[in-house]
């Protein structure tokens, strides 16, 4: 029924369900879904023992790092929030001023490259992997503070070469794409 | 006369001359040129008040940084040893283990990318520059400890786009090439 608020109990049941389907919903997104204030969402999380988004990302990332073969988890630039070895992966990078040019406060290209390249390497199902080719496009300049979500997909293999595409988004906008060819070290 | 050593005085005159033509000759290279021991070269430099290579590179780099318009000198990855604004530039990057993958000790692609990209940006004769496209090839894996020499050349302009090619060498071997398209920020 339009306009009618659901009970606190029902809301909390639904909130748990929604976060089970998408653990990376922000408090702002949940607030809009339920038509309540952000304080209400925070109290709900507190009562239900659900940590804030940043902690949820970290905890998911920890369990993903153990699946990666090519590099150490800490060597991945950003938090690894999803990984299907040999197939695909997703990472989240919270940008800040240390990654930006002093003059323009725009994130330096090599930091975005680092998120993309390390994710491309992480998804490869090999003991080692090194970049042979990287063709990259930067569509929209990224400002310090933006949260970047990178999605990598292994698109094909030829001999010992792995072809990986990485797309990076800030909110709904695509800011970068990289086409990588990776090889194991012999 | 073959086999006959030149006098110390003549050698020191020639050494000054050679370093004037190429300030980045190593003590090892000078040693071979004059057929003397490395200690002799070091003593010659000491007597002539010529600092060691690392210091010579730093001092040349300092004076080059003031010519760069797009970014701060410290933002260039490596030492900027030559710059012709709007035309070309050369930088030297001493790699170390902090830039390498833990498992393989090979330099991570994004660090090589960072040397190339920051040099490409530095040579542009604009107030600001940001990477729009970067097509890169990594020919030979670089090991921690190798010294990388990057050479950038502005190859053409189209509208407000600057096309810059960067080649990176380790010793005589080309390890990387990047083709960059850069634009000023509007």
């Amino acid at each position: 029924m339009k306009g009618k608020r659901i009970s606190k109990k029902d809301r909390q049941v639904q909130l748990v369900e929604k976060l089970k389907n998408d653990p990376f919903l922000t408090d702002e997104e949940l607030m809009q879904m339920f038509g309540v204030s952000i304080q209400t969402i925070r109290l709900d999380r507190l009562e239900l023992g659900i940590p804030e988004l940043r902690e949820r990302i970290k905890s998911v990332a920890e369990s993903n790092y153990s699946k990666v073969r090519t590099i150490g988890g800490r060597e991945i630039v950003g938090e690894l929030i999803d990984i299907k070895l040999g197939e695909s992966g997703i990472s989240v990078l919270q940008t800040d001023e240390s990654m930006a040019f002093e003059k323009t406060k725009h994130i330096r290209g090599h930091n975005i490259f680092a998120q993309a390249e390390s994710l491309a390497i992480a998804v490869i199902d090999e003991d080692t992997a090194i970049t042979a080719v990287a063709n990259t496009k930067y569509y929209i300049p990224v400002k310090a503070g933006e949260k970047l979500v990178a999605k990598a997909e292994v698109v094909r293999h030829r001999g010992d070469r792995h072809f990986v595409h990485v797309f990076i988004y800030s909110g709904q906008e695509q800011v970068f794409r990289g086409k990588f060819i990776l090889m194991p070290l012999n």
Side-chain angles (χ1 to χ4, degrees), chain A:
Chain A
M1 280 175 284
K2 203 187 160 193
K4 191 173 183 299
R5 278 211 185 167
I6 58 174
S7 73
K8 176 174 162 180
K9 198 182 153 192
D10 286 350
R11 185 181 65 238
Q12 292 192 347
V13 170
Q14 289 182 26
L15 191 144
V16 170
E17 193 59 32
K18 284 194 186 298
L19 284 175
K20 213 165 94 181
N21 293 331
D22 180 358
F24 304 112
L25 287 172
T26 63
D27 286 354
E28 286 75 13
E29 286 166 329
L30 291 165
M31 170 183 94
Q32 280 158 10
M33 282 175 179
F34 292 107
V36 295
S37 72
I38 197 151
Q39 284 80 0
T40 303
I41 295 295
R42 284 180 190 148
L43 279 170
D44 281 350
R45 282 201 295 96
L46 205 65
E47 289 178 21
L48 294 163
I50 299 169
E52 60 165 335
L53 178 60
R54 185 185 299 254
E55 293 307 314
R56 294 203 300 278
I57 290 177
K58 275 214 161 66
S59 115
V60 171
E62 290 300 324
S63 73
N64 284 325
Y65 291 141
S66 60
K67 300 177 192 163
V68 175
R69 294 177 58 197
T70 45
I71 54 174
R74 282 174 299 122
E75 296 185 296
I76 297 169
V77 175
E79 309 279 351
L80 185 65
I81 63 171
D82 189 51
I83 178 97
K84 289 189 189 73
L85 211 60
E87 290 181 35
S88 64
I90 300 175
S91 74
V92 174
L93 176 66
Q94 179 59 57
T95 65
D96 60 39
E97 288 216 354
S98 76
M99 305 172 191
F101 289 113
E102 284 169 23
K103 199 175 194 173
T104 63
K105 308 294 181 211
H106 283 86
I107 299 301
R108 302 175 62 145
H110 80 257
N111 287 314
I112 297 170
F113 186 95
Q115 181 186 16
E117 187 201 25
S118 60
L119 181 62
I121 290 173
V123 299
I124 296 302
D125 195 3
E126 298 268 10
D127 280 331
T128 59
I130 196 152
T131 304
V133 174
N135 289 336
T136 59
K137 283 194 178 166
Y138 296 78
Y139 297 113
I140 302 171
V142 176
K143 287 213 167 115
E146 291 184 35
K147 190 176 73 180
L148 298 180
V149 177
K151 298 181 182 181
E153 206 179 327
V154 181
V155 291
R156 66 174 181 278
H157 304 277
R158 196 184 295 155
D160 62 352
R161 297 178 161 239
H162 303 258
F163 292 69
V164 184
H165 291 181
V166 181
F167 304 94
I168 299 184
Y169 303 85
S170 175
Q172 298 303 309
E173 287 195 303
Q174 190 183 340
V175 296
F176 171 95
R177 79 110 174 93
K179 296 180 176 180
F180 292 86
I181 304 177
L182 305 162
M183 299 168 63
L185 271 170
N186 294 318

